[in-house]
Amino acid sequence: AHARPAVRSAGKSRNQQGKGLGGDRDRPRPQLKDASSLTEYYRATGTNPSGFVGLQEKLAGFAAFVDAYSSEFRVHRSFFYDAYIVPFPGLKVGIAGFNSAWRCSQVGQDNGRLLIGTDLVDAAAAHLDGCDAKLCLLHHPFDMFAEWNRKQLRRRLARQFQFLFTGHVHDSDVEFLHQIFGNVFVSTSGALNSREAFNFYSIVQIDLAKGTVTSLLRKWYDDRDCFDQETEKAAEGRISYSGFRATNEETAQLIEISEIRGLLHENSGNAQLVNPLEGVAELKLRDVFVEPIIKDRSSFDRDDDDAGTFTVDDLLRNSDNLVFFGQPEFGKSMLLEYAERFILTTDGCFEGKLPARIKFRDLPKNNFKGISHIVRRALGETVTREQAERYLADGRLILLIDDFNDRNVEGHDARCSMLREFYENYPKCRYILTLTEFLSQAFHYEALRWGEGFAAKTYFISSFNTAKIRQLLVKVSSTRSFGVNAMLDQIVFYFQQLQIPVTPLAVTLFLGVLFRDRGKRNIQNEAYLVENYLETVLEKLNPGDRRSELDFRERESFLAHIAFRMLEKRRFEWPRNEFERGKLDYFDHLDEKVPDVHVFEDFFKKGILQEVDGTVSYKFKFWFHFFLAKAMEKDESRKAFLLGQPDYLRYATALGYKAGLSRNDAELLENIRRRSVEALREALRDVAFQNFDQLPVDAALSQFSEQVEKDIVEKNSADEVDARRDALLPQSGAPQKIDSAEECDDLGVLVTLHSDIIRNTREVPPDTKVDNLRDNVSSYVALMWGSLVAFKEFVTAIPEEDAIKLLFRGVPSKKQEVRLKKLVEGSHRLVYQIVPISVICYMTDHLGNPKLSRSVARILDGELGLVERLFHLLLLFRLDPSAAFEGRRIHP
């Protein structure tokens, strides 16, 4: 439209050119003086094409160019105009290009002589019926048309088209014509002059959703040798107009929805994210969202390892109804929040769709039509009631329904019934639901029987693995710098210790606990970490929420009381009425009013307590042990009560936490040390025990040092380390039960408890710590030594034939005799060589942390025995194996 057409002579004599309807330049054309004569002329060209040859030859160059240009979008081709329909996602654009040069001549002026009939405009527009936007391309401006044609043409173009693009004048201009019959935006641009550089162009931006059109004017500047804003005509070379609308009802709805999508997108940054880092004002979902692991099989399925994995984006791009199962805090709500944002920002496959994120507990119980009001509220009241009904009926909405099976909500069955009825009335909409995984599958599928046509694909959200934890840490670290690898080590260690499912929320909270300002005390033991984690869960997730009823310490004391009462009663699952009775007794004893019920329900919502089938218990074992430790910290008599129980080792974790909370409980340290020594002496009374210092440890290390180095290097690759971590991370978030049905007198538990208390009892004299470390290492050696010596004595004492039958389940053979001989030799090697190394390696891993390493270095400064030297050396290697190998070999 902006290129000047080539004008050429027909190449014939003046007499020849005078023949026919388009020839003889010298002869005026009085017959084209009004609309009727022009209409007759168009009709004549169709019935007498031979008389039209002159015109065709005059523009033969341009016709050849157009014929050579084949467009898949062209729907009509003629001498006077071409028509094109160009499809876009959810939009069709119609373009009509008119030949305004057919009346141009090399004789005289063209101004006031050009003609385009209104019936031609109507014919071209008819080819573009159904288009959402219609653009007209016209090389010459209105001023060059005959005066009688000019006004009619303007009106007809305004009626049939919304946009007009012209050129020819070698200048740029913009205007918005408001006609009685319609409005049209006119853009005039520069041209390609044969003697000068292309001196003007414009970029036109059309936003049909907002009904605005903006022209960005650009001009060539010789002094700068570049194009830039044409500021002489408009500030920043920008001119905008508004008032455009679509041309059909369906597109009008699409544009209407597009406007709403824009508003929702602007307001979609209000995600309720947990911010773990102090000093960081805000975290956005798009900045820290890590795609969950999604499988087509439950984590409770034994064949889960063979389950296929899927990406969130691919599942959302499909048109299927979806059901996402996940355990509590596995990120179901955050997934729907991400889905809402993804739908709003991905135009291609979601054009004309609106996401409505609602919670199951907000659904009405007695009128399915009330769900429409919930949907409107989810859309931020940006739509009217009539619009909402129309969108629902037309299937324009994607309903994101969270916690569909929230059985704790009153009227659960009634709400399910309302949602089913809602689907039956609006089956064209898309439904994406989240449900809790550990409820019975039968319930899930029964609840999803919404009608004959309803079908949904089901997927399962798995807990994070090490790679996902690392992704989250990398994203968060971009807002506040910290060592990702060091933080990953700590987080994975504590998840393994506490055996809680690795969820995005839990990782985020642990990060906030572990990443502390310099002015605050570092996390020194597991009990201190749990205490800070508890404070985050109860206080920092909802600061200022009902603090006047029970503060953090009061809530902590109540939960500690419940844990100790469970220990006294030896019942760790209470019926709900017994739990309520326990609340009354506790506050009656304090002579205080029982707080409102919502204070206690917070414990269930935050995952500290759980209620399953009307029975209340601690959700995870570590919560019970922590609050039992708090009870002992508040009252030493409770510690004495626990230590007096025959199965006190069943609560070893709580005793270790108690040492961590106190940090200076020397009495508990001595108590457990004494019990450990006595128990081992009794257990190994009949086992010959060789003095540890007399073992050939030097020779053993000399033989194994190179192999140890090779193993350490191989097993510290990123993939190997992540695979080992993943194997230790808990894979299930199912409720945990505390079982006290049988006694626990495991020596291994006792020795490990001694290790924990040594590690957690920091404020004791160095000599006391050294003595306990020696006793603890010796206990491990003695325990393993006794087991292996007993095994060696067993396999050597019984007849060879019986040993083969017992160990290899078969009759004696030469091959089995060789296997038995190797087993006996191996038991000797285990007892005299490998046991000390393996025990000390275990101890360095169990006790190893930077602060303890420095403490041991100070304590053991001076003359070291073989055990102390080996322990200290391996403790240093525990902190950084690869760096340690650069400076020394594993030799005592």
Side-chain angles (χ1 to χ4, degrees), residues 299-300 327-328 330 438 500-501 610 619-620 730-736:
S299 59
F300 298 122
Q327 297 170 32
F330 268 40
F438 57 73
I500 59 176
Q610 65 180 353
K619 185 171 184 179
F620 298 111
Q731 299 301 316
S732 172
Q736 300 175 359

Side-chain angles (χ1 to χ4, degrees), residues 263-271 285 337 340-341 344-345:
L263 293 173
L264 291 175
H265 185 202
E266 291 175 5
N267 299 324
S268 65
N270 300 323
L285 178 64
E337 202 150 358
E340 178 184 43
R341 183 174 182 82
L344 290 174
T345 56

Side-chain angles (χ1 to χ4, degrees), residues 21-22 28-42 45 52 55 58-59 79-81 97-105 109-121 137-154 157:
L21 292 170
R29 301 167 182 171
Q31 70 271 29
L32 302 182
K33 59 184 179 180
D34 54 28
S36 58
S37 60
L38 185 57
T39 299
E40 181 62 29
Y41 179 80
Y42 287 144
T45 60
F52 194 52
L55 283 178
K58 183 172 70 171
L59 297 179
F79 178 79
F80 291 104
Y81 71 90
F98 289 94
N99 177 4
S100 63
W102 70 276
R103 290 268 291 177
C104 290
S105 170
Q109 293 293 323
D110 292 333
N111 284 342
R113 190 161 57 180
L114 307 186
L115 298 172
I116 291 181
T118 55
D119 46 356
L120 204 68
V121 175
L137 308 181
L138 190 67
H139 177 72
H140 296 89
F142 285 125
D143 293 343
M144 297 189 67
F145 286 80
E147 185 175 354
W148 63 264
N149 180 230
R150 189 182 309 157
K151 188 173 183 179
Q152 295 175 349
L153 181 61
R154 286 164 61 103
L157 286 174

Side-chain angles (χ1 to χ4, degrees), residues 327-578:
Q327 297 170 32
E329 297 183 5
F330 268 40
K332 300 187 296 296
S333 299
M334 194 62 69
L335 178 62
L336 290 189
E337 202 150 358
Y338 172 81
E340 178 184 43
R341 183 174 182 82
F342 183 79
I343 292 168
L344 290 174
T345 56
T346 308
D347 291 330
C349 53
F350 296 112
E351 191 75 32
K353 299 290 185 180
L354 293 173
R357 183 163 52 90
I358 61 181
K359 291 185 178 296
F360 174 79
R361 65 170 177 262
D362 294 334
L363 300 180
K365 296 181 288 185
N366 51 15
N367 185 358
F368 82 91
K369 293 184 178 180
I371 299 179
S372 301
H373 302 301
I374 306 298
V375 170
R376 280 189 61 207
R377 194 158 63 237
L379 297 176
E381 300 293 342
T382 55
V383 300
T384 65
R385 180 181 302 175
E386 292 75 18
Q387 285 176 317
E389 286 296 326
R390 189 167 70 250
Y391 297 160
L392 286 168
D394 294 343
R396 296 292 186 187
L397 293 182
I398 301 176
L399 277 72
L400 308 171
I401 306 172
D402 197 14
D403 281 337
F404 171 71
N405 62 335
D406 190 345
R407 298 183 69 84
N408 292 323
V409 173
E410 180 188 359
H412 173 271
D413 292 338
R415 287 183 168 90
C416 287
S417 177
M418 290 302 99
L419 195 53
R420 284 194 292 271
E421 190 171 351
F422 183 82
Y423 164 74
E424 290 169 0
N425 282 270
Y426 303 110
K428 292 183 180 180
C429 290
R430 186 182 180 190
Y431 297 81
I432 300 178
L433 318 176
T434 64
L435 293 88
T436 305
E437 182 174 358
F438 57 73
L439 297 181
S440 69
Q441 290 293 330
F443 168 78
H444 297 328
Y445 291 116
E446 182 67 27
L448 293 175
R449 293 177 182 174
W450 287 3
E452 291 294 329
F454 183 80
K457 292 187 177 180
T458 59
Y459 298 93
F460 299 85
I461 304 174
S462 300
S463 60
F464 270 13
N465 57 18
T466 303
K468 292 294 183 181
I469 300 174
R470 185 183 288 108
Q471 286 181 34
L472 180 58
L473 295 180
V474 169
K475 286 177 176 287
V476 177
S477 68
S478 64
T479 62
R480 186 77 174 268
S481 178
F482 57 81
V484 171
N485 289 331
M487 186 65 71
L488 178 67
D489 288 340
Q490 294 184 70
I491 286 179
V492 171
F493 170 79
Y494 284 117
F495 273 112
Q496 293 169 359
Q497 290 293 102
L498 300 178
Q499 284 296 293
I500 59 176
V502 188
T503 67
L505 176 62
V507 174
T508 303
L509 295 182
F510 269 62
L511 174 61
V513 170
L514 292 169
F515 188 86
R516 304 172 65 78
D517 293 336
R518 291 182 178 179
K520 294 188 176 181
R521 301 179 69 176
N522 289 326
I523 299 299
Q524 297 169 330
N525 58 66
E526 193 173 308
Y528 190 43
L529 174 121
V530 174
E531 186 168 43
N532 282 267
Y533 178 59
L534 175 68
E535 184 178 6
T536 301
V537 168
L538 290 181
E539 297 289 296
K540 295 181 181 178
L541 288 186
N542 49 355
D545 181 28
R546 308 183 183 109
R547 287 194 171 192
S548 60
E549 302 215 41
L550 280 185
D551 64 20
F552 172 68
R553 294 301 176 191
E554 290 168 334
R555 298 185 195 190
E556 192 179 59
S557 296
F558 170 75
L559 292 168
H561 166 78
I562 294 297
F564 187 72
R565 289 292 293 149
M566 286 181 171
L567 172 67
E568 284 185 314
K569 294 183 176 183
R570 294 307 180 98
R571 291 206 341 272
F572 304 97
E573 297 177 358
W574 291 4
R576 183 72 190 218
N577 61 344
E578 187 173 351

Side-chain angles (χ1 to χ4, degrees), residues 10 45 47 51 68 106 112 178 246 286 503 509 554 579 584 618-619 624 661 714 720 796 802 811 815 820 874 889:
T45 60
T47 58
Q106 292 177 325
H178 297 270
R286 62 176 177 270
T503 67
L509 295 182
E554 290 168 334
F579 175 73
L584 296 175
Y618 282 94
K619 185 171 184 179
F624 168 76
L661 292 171
E714 289 179 353
E720 286 286 338
T796 55
D802 293 340
V811 294
K815 185 176 181 180
L820 179 61
L874 292 183
R889 292 280 178 178

Side-chain angles (χ1 to χ4, degrees), residues 124-187:
H127 288 291
L128 307 180
D129 281 348
C131 289
D132 307 299
K134 295 180 180 179
L135 284 63
C136 176
L137 308 181
L138 190 67
H139 177 72
H140 296 89
F142 285 125
D143 293 343
M144 297 189 67
F145 286 80
E147 185 175 354
W148 63 264
N149 180 230
R150 189 182 309 157
K151 188 173 183 179
Q152 295 175 349
L153 181 61
R154 286 164 61 103
R155 287 181 175 179
R156 193 57 57 92
L157 286 174
R159 170 182 288 178
Q160 298 288 9
F161 294 90
Q162 298 153 295
F163 307 96
L164 172 63
F165 297 92
T166 68
H168 184 76
V169 296
H170 297 203
D171 199 356
S172 57
D173 196 9
V174 179
E175 61 180 330
F176 187 27
L177 302 178
H178 297 270
Q179 305 288 309
I180 295 176
F181 300 102
N183 303 326
V184 63
F185 169 83
V186 182
S187 171

